[in-house]
Every structure is written in C-alpha cells, then in structure tokens.
Amino acid sequence: MLNRMGARVHGAGERIVRIQGVTLLHGGDVLIPRNQQTAARWLTLAALTAGDLLVDGASPTFMTSLLNHLEQAGNTIVKQATGVRIIGTHYPLPTALSMDDFLAPSLIDQSLMLGLVTFMNGRRSLAGTNLDDLSPALTVLERLGVTPQVEAGCLKFSGQPTDSIKGPVTPLALPAALMWLLASLRGAASIEVEVTDQVARVIAPYLAAVAKQGIQVEISAPL
C-alpha cells in the first residue's frame, strides 16, 4: 500500500526491509478486510466438525498458511468471489501444524489448532504453542484417550479420542472448556461444562451459531 502511494520500501516479507525516504506521498486505495481472525476460526470449526461452510468475507490472502494446512489434512478449500468455502473431511489426515505460521495467535486460536490435530488420524504434531497456557487442555486430551508428548518444544500426539465420555466437568480455564466443547461437537463426549463468566462471554457467539445448525446446546446459570 505504501509503495502504491509513492513510498520506496524494498524487501517486504524478507528479513531485512530497506526504506528510502521520499518527499511526498500521494493518495491511494486499499482494501481493509473484515475480521480475518474470526473467519479463520469458523473455517477451523468447520474442519473439526466435517462441515460444509462458506465464510463470507474471508480472504485467502490473509490466511494462506491455515488454508494450506486444512487442505493437507484432506479438507476441500474452494476460493470464491465472496469468501472461502470449506468442505470438511470425515477422515482428517495427519499433518504437522505450527502456530509460527499465524500472526499473533490468541489462546482461542491455539486451542482450536490443538483441537484440529487432536481429531486427525495417525501421528500428528503441533509446534509453536504456549505449553503453559495449553496445559489444562492437554489434561482433557488424556481423558479423551489421546496421549500428548512434548519433544523439543513441539507437541506430538498418539491415540484417537474414541471413547464416549458423559457427565459434568468443571474446567476453570478457557483452553479446557474449548477442548470439551470441541469434543462434544465431534461426538466424542456428551457433557455439561461448567465455565466462568469470562469464558462464557468468549464462547457465547460460537455456541449460538452451532445451535442454529441443529446441535443441541443448553446454556443455564448455576444455581
């Protein structure tokens, strides 16, 4: 955008960027995309649930790494004029995911990626995560029958979440709550998740959306 406005910026995307000063910048047009982080989350959720979803306003330019990972896992990505459509596979292939490919991933993004690799088949891995933040979610994986191992800072997984778990759970942290909810969406668990008010506010938009798709979600206040 700056170069189109008359700037002299060389090496964009490389380790060294050289900027030559100019006297004047002129006007220009630039497309400001919608919230691409939210769009990426919906695409990931669709992959997790083997859904068929068109995310209107999603821009492939801003999520190239994610789309590549989703395709490697066996999902079909269709880039349309209005957005990105994903057709999820019921048999996700193992792949090596890295959060280093994503720009400033939040705890929600890391949890979703963790869920994505959890339900892949075979030996898969996830690098670039904050292991301290995700430790509550890793405890959930062990209850689901998945064994996470840390090798050189990289998470590697073995085993599949095949056992159906029912009953109440009480996660206090956001990653644990998200993992239980993702497990329920995949059919590996039928549970009651007790969450804090802060976690409830974060996940409320996603719960409302999946409820519209016919998935039974009941939200109740504690007694």
Side-chain angles (χ1 to χ4, degrees):
M1 180 191 69
L2 289 173
N3 283 336
R4 289 200 302 267
M5 295 172 64
R8 296 179 180 177
V9 182
H10 310 279
E14 301 176 4
R15 295 185 60 186
I16 298 178
V17 178
R18 183 184 177 198
I19 302 174
Q20 293 178 273
V22 296
T23 304
L24 181 68
L25 292 177
H26 54 72
D29 295 327
V30 60
L31 173 64
I32 299 178
R34 301 180 187 181
N35 192 333
Q36 297 303 304
Q37 186 181 49
T38 301
R41 291 171 183 172
W42 284 119
L43 291 169
T44 304
L45 280 170
L48 271 163
T49 55
D52 185 345
L53 180 68
L54 170 62
V55 181
D56 189 25
S59 174
T61 304
F62 292 90
M63 55 184 73
T64 302
S65 296
L66 174 62
L67 297 181
N68 288 339
H69 286 311
L70 293 177
E71 283 190 313
Q72 290 171 11
N75 302 286
T76 301
I77 302 296
V78 182
K79 301 173 184 177
Q80 300 185 354
T82 59
V84 176
R85 179 187 178 191
I86 179 171
I87 304 172
T89 176
H90 289 275
Y91 192 85
L93 303 174
T95 186
L97 287 175
S98 175
M99 298 307 301
D100 295 334
D101 295 333
F102 302 89
L103 180 63
S106 68
L107 190 55
I108 295 177
D109 302 318
Q110 294 186 70
S111 299
L112 288 174
M113 290 299 111
L114 180 62
L116 191 63
V117 297
T118 296
F119 292 97
M120 289 177 177
N121 294 275
R123 187 165 176 81
R124 57 274 189 211
S125 64
L126 177 63
T129 59
N130 188 319
L131 297 178
D132 292 334
D133 289 343
L134 289 180
S135 59
L138 299 182
T139 302
V140 175
L141 296 188
E142 293 175 352
R143 286 192 60 183
L144 290 172
V146 177
T147 303
Q149 296 178 325
V150 181
E151 297 181 12
C154 176
L155 281 170
K156 296 188 176 181
F157 307 87
S158 59
Q160 295 300 129
T162 54
D163 296 333
S164 179
I165 298 178
K166 297 183 179 181
V169 295
T170 311
L172 298 178
L174 177 60
L178 284 174
M179 280 306 305
W180 279 121
L181 291 169
L182 293 175
S184 294
L185 291 174
R186 287 286 304 194
S190 176
I191 56 173
E192 298 175 15
V193 182
E194 182 179 335
V195 298
T196 63
D197 291 340
Q198 180 182 8
V199 172
R201 287 193 296 270
V202 172
I203 64 178
Y206 303 102
L207 292 179
V210 298
K212 292 180 180 179
Q213 306 303 317
I215 299 174
Q216 295 182 358
V217 179
E218 181 179 346
I219 303 175
S220 58
L223 299 176

